[in-house]
Every structure is written in C-alpha cells, then in structure tokens.
Amino acid sequence: MKYLVIVSTLFVIGSLVGWLIELFFRRFVSQKKWMNPGFLTGPYLPIYGFGVVVLYGVSNIPLGINIVAWDVVVRILIIGVGMTLIEFIAGLIFIKGFGIKLWDYSNRKGNIMGIICPIFSLAWLVVGSLYYFLLNPLLVEGITWISENLIYTYFVGGVMGMMLVDFSYSIHLATKLKEFKELGDLRFEDFKKEFKKRINNLKEEIVNK
C-alpha cells in the first residue's frame, strides 16, 4: 500500500508540475500565447507524471555498481533513454491511435517521426541530471512523509480519480473526431480548433432543424 501511495503521489506531482512547465513554455517560447498545453481538460500532463516516476525509480533503485562515479553515469544515461522512450511511446500511441500530434519535432534535425529528436533527448538528459543531483534527496524525504499521513492519501486518490474521468472523456472526444477520416493527422492545437468547429456546426444544425 505504501509503495502504491508513493507512485501515485509522484505521478500526481509530475503531472501538475509538468502542466505548469508546458504552460509557461508555450506562452514565452513556442506559441507565444496562453493556452492549455494538455490533451486533458484539467491542469495535468500524465506524460510528466510517468516521467517523474521513472526519475524517482532510476535514482533510488540499487544498480549493484560499486564504483560511485560509474553508478552516477549509468543512472543519468538510463534516465535520458527512459525519458526519451516515454516521449516516443506516448507520441506514437496518439498518432497511430487517434491521428493527433501532441507535439511536432518535424523541423528538428535527426527527428524520428516528429516525435523525438536529439536536441530534446539532450534536454531530458540535462533535466534528469538536475533532478538526480538537486531534487531527488528532497523528494525522497517529502514523499516518505506524505505516504505516512493518511489525509494526503485521500487527496492523491481524489486527484487520480479526476484525472481518470478527464482522460476517459478526452479519449472519447478524440475517438469521435477520428471518425472524420479526411482530417488526417492533426497537430494538437489544430485538433482542438477542429473539434470546437465541429461542435459549433452541430449546434447550428440542431437550431436550424
């Protein structure tokens, strides 16, 4: 039970913090405007939740390497590969399953299917290194304290429940939009615009009947 609470807490923290990071990144770096960066309606990005769980696990699971320097190097490399793999799997699922590109690296050198690219893999490696050296000791202590306090367990469970409902709803919408075969693969921003357009057209058809 304790480990389930720890993993759930890490997932929730990562999802919420990741949403904030993407919110400001899109406002000041990529899109230059305020917008919901997530596929879900609420303020959370599950891909970051999975990322934090991986970071925590790789940083704390014994690897059996006796030389400290090599232990650190191997952990950092595993973190970089793991974060890139999460990004690739998530992107592939949405492109193949729903025809939606949550992000697009097609204009980046060395990209694979526009889902991953060397520059962002390097960024994940740097982020993972910063987490390992700066945040992990604090997070281990904080998560241990939270897992031993029942009231926070209910809070985490409530947030996980809301995320599950939100995810089911968003997947339903994506499935409905996927029925329009002529759309092809959409970038995430275009997906939201197209879906809003379809809803407005449907409302007009109902009113005119």
Side-chain angles (χ1 to χ4, degrees):
M1 181 64 180
K2 179 179 178 181
Y3 293 108
L4 178 61
V5 173
I6 289 176
V7 171
S8 299
T9 303
L10 289 168
F11 184 80
V12 168
I13 290 175
S15 298
L16 294 173
V17 173
W19 185 87
L20 288 173
I21 292 173
E22 287 288 339
L23 179 69
F24 286 100
F25 178 80
R26 299 193 183 211
R27 170 61 182 86
F28 298 107
V29 179
S30 57
Q31 271 75 38
K32 302 292 183 179
K33 61 181 179 180
W34 294 109
M35 61 178 295
N36 180 8
F39 173 73
L40 305 183
T41 304
Y44 19 71
L45 284 174
I47 188 172
Y48 279 86
F50 286 114
V52 170
V53 171
V54 169
L55 287 174
Y56 183 88
V58 175
S59 297
N60 296 288
I61 293 177
L63 297 180
I65 302 176
N66 296 324
I67 302 176
V68 176
W70 279 110
D71 182 85
V72 172
V73 170
V74 171
R75 288 182 192 275
I76 297 301
L77 291 176
I78 293 176
I79 285 173
V81 173
M83 298 294 283
T84 299
L85 187 60
I86 289 175
E87 188 176 37
F88 182 75
I89 292 174
L92 193 61
I93 288 174
F94 277 89
I95 289 177
K96 296 298 184 181
F98 306 104
I100 301 171
K101 293 182 178 180
L102 295 179
W103 57 87
D104 191 1
Y105 300 152
S106 297
N107 61 337
R108 303 281 182 175
K109 292 183 178 180
N111 77 86
I112 299 177
M113 299 175 63
I115 302 175
I116 58 175
C117 66
I119 187 65
F120 274 89
S121 293
L122 179 60
W124 292 129
L125 187 69
V126 173
V127 169
S129 301
L130 293 174
Y131 167 86
Y132 178 76
F133 290 110
L134 302 178
L135 295 180
N136 186 64
L138 298 175
L139 191 59
V140 168
E141 184 177 348
I143 290 298
T144 301
W145 182 82
I146 289 175
S147 66
E148 295 173 351
N149 287 267
L150 188 60
I151 187 172
Y152 291 99
T153 302
Y154 289 115
F155 170 75
V156 170
V159 175
M160 289 287 289
M162 289 188 292
M163 291 176 65
L164 182 60
V165 172
D166 195 342
F167 181 77
S168 299
Y169 172 72
S170 299
I171 289 295
H172 175 70
L173 296 184
T175 302
K176 287 296 182 182
L177 191 58
K178 180 64 175 177
E179 295 175 1
F180 299 97
K181 301 297 184 180
E182 76 278 6
L183 295 178
D185 291 343
L186 292 173
R187 292 186 60 187
F188 182 54
E189 292 78 11
D190 298 328
F191 160 76
K192 291 194 286 189
K193 291 178 182 178
E194 185 63 32
F195 187 79
K196 185 177 180 179
K197 176 183 175 182
R198 299 278 180 174
I199 291 296
N200 290 334
N201 291 341
L202 181 60
K203 288 180 179 179
E204 291 179 4
E205 291 178 5
I206 295 175
V207 172
N208 294 330
K209 283 184 179 180

